[in-house]
């Protein structure tokens, strides 16, 4: 088993996959395995044992120690190049092939177009059967549906929060330069609400910043509570 194993092949390049998957070749009914971990510190042994138990020969297992965020992996490329029409690509889990749902579906469609089946041991998906094909598409559809639900819930939650006055985005900038400008504005007679509106910040942010810059000196008029007149 090797991620860099090279095999001579007379297969023509596939239009469905940039590195070439067998097209129009006689059925071989071989099983080709692929295993992946994200870093060199992680171990492939558990996945390899599972694939061998499932009937994949050790010499037909390809590996990568790279992130699943890209399909440009030498081990995956070699595994796909070794597959021919009628063969089965076996993985321990679907996320060993790709992290992105779009990449996974694109890869499956390329395999399907070239007559190559897919078997995932963990999810018990086997596209050699009609129910297996259905389960794969259903899994992808459910994942896409859940993604849409999360997006909808997030947007609805943000909408409600905005209606309650909550603001989103990066924290407003009110650094030393803005504090100096605010002090000038207050000294010229502007009110704290005027300054807050000018810098698009809350009044609660202005008070401590200005007090810290002026050594505790208040530059605004204190609120005067109206006294109720005494009854005579």
């Amino acid at each position: 088993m090797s991620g860099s194993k090279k095999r001579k092949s007379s297969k023509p390049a596939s239009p469905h996959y940039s590195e070439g998957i067998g097209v129009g070749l006689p059925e071989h009914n071989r099983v080709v395995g692929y295993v992946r971990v994200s870093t060199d510190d992680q171990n492939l042994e558990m996945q390899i044992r599972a694939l061998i138990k499932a009937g994949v020969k050790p010499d037909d297992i390809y590996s990568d120690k790279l992130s699943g965020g890209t399909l440009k992996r030498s081990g995956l490329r070699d595994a796909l190049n070794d597959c021919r029409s009628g063969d089965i690509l076996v993985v321990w889990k679907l996320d060993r092939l790709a992290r992105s749902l779009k990449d996974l579906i694109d890869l499956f469609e390329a395999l399907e177009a070239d007559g190559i089946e897919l078997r995932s041991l963990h999810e018990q998906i086997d596209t050699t059967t009609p129910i297996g094909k259905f389960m794969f598409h259903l899994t992808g559809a459910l994942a896409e549906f859940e993604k849409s639900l999360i997006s909808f819930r997030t947007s609805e939650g943000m909408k409600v929060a905005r209606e309650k006055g909550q603001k989103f985005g990066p924290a407003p900038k009110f650094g030393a330069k803005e504090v100096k400008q605010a002090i000038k504005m207050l000294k010229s007679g502007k009110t704290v609400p005027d300054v807050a509106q000018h810098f698009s910040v809350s009044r609660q942010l202005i008070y401590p910043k200005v007090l810290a810059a002026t050594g505790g000196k208040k530059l605004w008029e204190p609120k005067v509570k109206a006294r109720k007149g005494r009854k005579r």
Side-chain angles (χ1 to χ4, degrees):
M1 185 281 301
S2 171
S4 60
K5 177 173 58 175
K6 304 293 182 182
R7 293 192 173 194
K8 293 182 179 179
S9 173
S10 58
K11 297 178 293 179
S14 167
H16 303 291
Y17 187 75
S18 59
E19 299 295 344
I21 299 175
V23 180
L25 294 173
E27 293 191 355
H28 292 268
N29 293 316
R30 292 173 57 249
V31 285
V32 176
Y34 175 72
V35 296
R36 181 187 65 80
V37 291
S38 298
T39 67
D40 289 332
D41 297 334
Q42 295 174 305
N43 199 312
L44 294 164
E45 191 60 33
M46 184 270 291
Q47 295 180 50
I48 293 171
R49 286 202 306 268
L51 263 62
I52 291 174
K53 187 177 179 180
V56 185
K57 296 179 181 178
D59 287 344
D60 292 329
I61 298 176
Y62 297 83
S63 68
D64 277 310
K65 289 190 174 184
L66 288 172
S67 167
T70 175
L71 292 178
K72 293 181 179 179
R73 287 169 262 145
S74 61
L76 178 60
R77 176 198 62 208
D78 292 342
L80 295 174
N81 280 335
D82 198 20
C83 288
R84 293 165 172 78
S85 179
D87 289 350
I88 303 170
L89 179 63
V90 183
V91 294
W92 177 59
K93 289 181 69 176
L94 289 175
D95 66 5
R96 298 304 85 194
L97 281 175
R99 286 288 189 184
S100 161
L101 179 62
K102 180 182 181 302
D103 284 346
L104 188 61
I105 291 175
D106 287 347
L107 182 56
F108 171 73
E109 288 177 350
L111 291 169
E112 188 177 39
D114 293 335
I116 299 165
E117 305 294 348
L118 176 64
R119 182 180 297 162
S120 176
L121 304 179
H122 184 79
E123 290 87 356
Q124 297 183 348
I125 291 175
D126 186 347
T127 64
T128 60
T129 66
I131 189 65
K133 290 182 186 292
F134 170 75
M135 287 301 299
F136 180 87
H137 286 292
L138 180 61
T139 300
L142 288 174
E144 192 65 34
F145 177 65
E146 178 63 19
K147 183 179 177 182
S148 299
L149 276 182
I150 292 172
S151 177
F152 175 76
R153 289 167 186 160
T154 301
S155 62
E156 286 297 299
M158 291 177 68
K159 181 181 177 181
V160 172
R162 286 194 186 97
E163 290 174 354
K164 293 180 178 180
Q166 186 174 344
K167 295 182 179 180
F168 296 91
K173 184 178 179 182
F174 194 66
K177 181 180 177 181
E178 288 74 22
V179 171
K180 286 182 180 180
Q181 293 177 5
I183 290 173
K184 288 182 180 179
M185 291 176 68
L186 290 168
K187 285 181 176 180
S188 70
K190 296 290 185 182
T191 65
V192 173
D194 292 335
V195 175
Q197 185 176 6
H198 177 78
F199 289 105
S200 298
V201 297
S202 67
R203 285 175 288 176
Q204 288 72 22
L205 181 62
I206 292 173
Y207 290 122
K209 293 270 190 176
V210 171
L211 286 173
T214 60
K217 184 179 178 181
K218 294 182 180 180
L219 302 178
W220 49 83
E221 293 295 328
K223 292 181 179 179
V224 179
K225 293 182 179 180
R227 292 184 179 181
K228 293 182 180 179
R230 291 182 180 179
K231 293 182 179 179
R232 294 185 180 180

